[in-house]
């Protein structure tokens, strides 16, 4: 797309890896920011090897299996520069890039970048307008600041697993890394707030986002259930703690979700199921009374839905204004007509003809939409181009840095991986 993009001209130095940080920077890149992904020569982002599956093509070898599906999910629209931070010359390159940047996003352990002179204080001293976003497991302060953290740990410590799973079953994590993804989203919003302030005042700031802070925030109504009522909510399987009926119901050939959010929808449900007595029963007249009499109501609804085929019941409920839907697997939703109609999946084509799929940013902006300009980069693919463009380094200096192992370009990376 050749039209305007909301973040055209914004330069982002991405020192993050795995998911929360890359999710944040991918969103910035989707809206036009020039995101430079800094990676270690030789192996790069951890998620490059988090497979199978890997997307392979005719140029890939046993040593270099291609990009993992995990890596591809959160790194489009970026350029990869492979720099050895442990070499003082490499750290100096990052400092020079930071002078040119508007935003830095990093997810090193607390204090991990200070040894290279790449912490917030060091970079703010040379670029006062810099927005510096740190993403960690437990934040820059507090009793757990020095602990390593992953999404799974945050889901467990943050209460999410205690409310996920069947009532009598074990705690369960969500099937995707929700703490990581939510933190990436909050980091994006926080970064944009800070960027707006920097554009107005010339003053940057340090943005501190943590998985555990975010996971606690994402408890939403469940957190307030405890803070208001003093009792921790528990697991209810597919049922809703305060809305009834709002769960999975068995049908004659499977199961569907029925989600009744108000009294009008409940009357519609009763009509579709041929049970008008449910709508007139005082035990079920309001949502509050339906919650109190949940067991009896859901048992009766279950008896009625069990006589219907799933598709027929779903269509009848939707026609009656009752929210309902099938329980799709991942393949079923990604081949649903909705996906094509909404442009939910975007496909790049590599030079070797390999199709590279990507799930699009979901927000549809009428004037400055997301644009998918670059497929997720190969490790070190843009090292020379970016250092020439941002820092005006010439071929001789780039050759010298590459020979010393300070940087690696695409050819250097291939050689390193093959030698290993």
């Amino acid at each position: 797309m050749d039209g305007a993009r909301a973040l055209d001209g914004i330069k982002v130095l991405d020192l993050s890896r795995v998911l929360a940080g890359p999710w944040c920077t991918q969103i910035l890149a989707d809206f036009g920011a020039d995101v430079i992904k800094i990676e270690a020569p030789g192996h790069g982002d951890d998620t490059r090897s988090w497979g199978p599956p890997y997307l392979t093509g005719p140029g890939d070898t046993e040593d270099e299996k291609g990009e993992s599906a995990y890596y591809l999910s959160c790194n489009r629209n970026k350029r990869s520069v492979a720099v050895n931070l442990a070499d003082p010359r490499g750290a100096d390159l990052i400092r020079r890039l930071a002078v040119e940047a508007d935003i830095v996003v990093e997810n090193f352990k607390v204090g991990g970048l200070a040894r290279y002179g790449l912490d917030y204080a060091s970079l703010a001293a040379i670029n006062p307008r810099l927005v510096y976003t740190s993403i960690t497991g437990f934040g820059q302060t507090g009793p757990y600041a020095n602990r390593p953290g992953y999404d799974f740990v945050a889901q467990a410590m943050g209460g999410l697993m205690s409310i996920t799973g069947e009532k009598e079953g074990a705690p369960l994590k969500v099937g995707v890394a929700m703490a990581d993804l939510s933190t990436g989203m909050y980091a994006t919003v926080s970064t944009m707030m800070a960027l707006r302030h920097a554009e107005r005042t010339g003053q940057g700031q340090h943005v501190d986002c943590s998985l555990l802070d975010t996971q606690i925030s994402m408890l939403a109504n469940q957190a307030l259930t405890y803070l208001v009522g003093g009792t921790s909510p528990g697991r209810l399987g597919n049922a809703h703690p305060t809305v009834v009926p709002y769960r999975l119901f068995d049908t004659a050939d499977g199961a569907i979700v029925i989600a009744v959010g108000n009294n009008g929808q409940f009357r519609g449900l009763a009509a579709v199921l041929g049970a008008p007595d449910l709508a007139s029963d005082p035990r079920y007249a309001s949502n509050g009374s339906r919650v109190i009499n949940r067991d009896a109501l859901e048992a009766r609804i279950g008896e009625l839905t069990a006589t219907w085929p799933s598709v027929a019941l779903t269509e009848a409920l939707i026609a009656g204004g009752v929210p309902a839907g099938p329980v799709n697997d991942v393949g079923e939703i990604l081949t649903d007509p909705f996906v094509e109609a909404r442009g939910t999946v975007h496909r790049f084509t590599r030079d070797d003809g390999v199709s590279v799929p990507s799930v699009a940013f979901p927000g549809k902006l009428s004037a400055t939409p997301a644009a998918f300009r670059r497929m997720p980069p190969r490790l070190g693919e843009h090292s020379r181009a970016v250092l020439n463009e941002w820092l005006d380094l010439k071929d001789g200096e780039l050759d010298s840095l590459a020979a010393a192992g300070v940087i690696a370009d695409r050819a250097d990376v291939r050689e390193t991986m093959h030698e290993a």
Side-chain angles (χ1 to χ4, degrees):
M1 172 172 288
D2 295 327
R5 290 183 283 270
L7 298 180
D8 278 346
I10 299 300
K11 293 182 175 181
V12 180
L13 200 55
D14 183 4
L15 301 177
S16 70
R17 56 220 181 276
V18 187
L19 185 55
W23 197 253
C24 166
T25 54
Q26 178 169 265
I27 295 169
L28 300 176
D30 284 350
F31 286 91
D34 185 8
V35 175
I36 306 306
K37 184 177 180 68
I38 303 299
E39 302 186 77
H43 58 82
D45 191 316
D46 296 348
T47 62
R48 287 183 179 276
S49 63
W50 282 15
Y54 299 96
L55 185 69
T56 58
D60 296 313
T61 67
E62 182 60 29
D63 297 310
E64 189 178 10
K65 297 181 177 67
E67 315 298 330
S68 73
Y70 201 118
Y71 168 80
L72 293 173
S73 74
C74 54
N75 285 289
R76 70 169 168 254
N77 281 337
K78 305 176 187 179
R79 295 191 284 174
S80 172
V81 175
V83 179
N84 180 6
L85 296 185
D87 188 303
R89 292 167 293 180
D92 182 63
L93 283 176
I94 302 303
R95 280 190 293 275
R96 293 168 64 185
L97 289 168
V99 171
E100 305 298 321
D102 301 286
I103 297 166
V104 166
V105 177
E106 61 90 10
N107 65 346
F108 282 69
K109 292 179 183 178
V110 173
L113 286 173
R115 76 186 72 166
Y116 308 121
L118 300 175
D119 55 305
Y120 171 66
S122 298
L123 296 187
I126 58 176
N127 183 357
R129 62 181 175 80
L130 185 67
V131 174
Y132 187 106
T133 299
S134 295
I135 299 174
T136 57
F138 302 98
Q140 301 294 304
T141 60
Y144 309 140
N146 292 318
R147 291 187 184 184
Y150 271 121
D151 171 272
F152 193 9
V153 177
Q155 287 198 36
M157 291 183 66
L160 182 59
M161 290 176 62
S162 76
I163 56 174
T164 304
E166 294 299 330
K167 185 174 182 179
E168 303 302 328
L172 288 175
K173 69 179 180 65
V174 180
V176 293
M178 285 307 302
D180 268 337
L181 295 170
S182 300
T183 303
M185 288 297 302
Y186 270 102
T188 304
V189 173
S190 301
T191 298
M192 295 311 299
M193 301 287 190
L195 181 65
R196 173 66 175 138
H197 176 75
E199 289 175 337
R200 286 204 322 265
T201 67
Q203 176 189 359
Q205 59 186 293
H206 192 186
V207 177
D208 173 9
C209 294
S210 86
L211 301 186
L212 189 55
D213 280 314
T214 298
Q215 183 51 71
I216 294 168
S217 173
M218 295 298 288
L219 290 174
N221 60 296
Q222 296 283 44
L224 269 292
T225 293
Y226 173 79
L227 293 174
V228 171
T231 302
S232 291
R235 293 181 294 282
L236 288 173
N238 288 307
H240 194 288
T242 56
V243 181
V244 174
Y246 198 99
R247 50 162 278 193
L248 194 70
F249 287 94
D250 288 333
T251 65
D253 57 359
I256 67 169
V257 164
I258 299 174
V260 170
N262 59 50
N263 294 333
Q265 291 172 356
F266 182 69
R267 290 191 293 272
L269 172 65
V272 169
L273 295 179
D277 59 299
L278 291 178
S280 60
D281 191 322
R283 294 177 299 167
Y284 311 137
S286 68
N287 180 71
S289 61
R290 292 194 292 272
V291 171
I292 293 170
N293 297 289
R294 175 197 301 267
D295 291 345
L297 174 59
E298 291 183 341
R300 176 76 188 286
I301 293 172
E303 291 173 356
L304 296 169
T305 62
T307 66
W308 285 73
S310 292
V311 172
L313 179 55
T314 300
E315 291 176 348
L317 289 170
I318 293 170
V322 180
V327 183
N328 290 326
D329 63 27
V330 175
E332 286 170 332
I333 188 54
L334 289 178
T335 53
D336 189 284
F338 175 93
V339 168
E340 182 175 358
R342 296 286 291 172
T344 304
V345 172
H346 176 83
R347 294 184 181 274
F348 300 95
T349 302
R350 286 193 338 204
D351 290 342
D352 59 6
V354 173
S355 176
V356 182
S358 192
V359 178
F361 183 84
K364 315 296 184 184
L365 281 69
S366 63
T368 56
F372 311 117
R373 310 176 309 282
R374 295 189 180 99
M375 66 190 74
R378 295 295 186 98
L379 177 57
E381 183 177 345
H382 306 99
S383 295
R384 287 176 176 263
V386 168
L387 293 173
N388 172 260
E389 182 182 322
W390 279 38
L391 303 181
D392 198 29
L393 298 189
K394 305 304 182 186
D395 285 344
E397 188 172 359
L398 292 169
D399 290 342
S400 177
L401 291 169
V406 178
I407 67 168
D409 64 19
R410 183 70 189 135
D412 297 332
V413 169
R414 283 185 181 276
E415 291 172 6
T416 300
M417 297 182 79
H418 291 171
E419 287 169 1

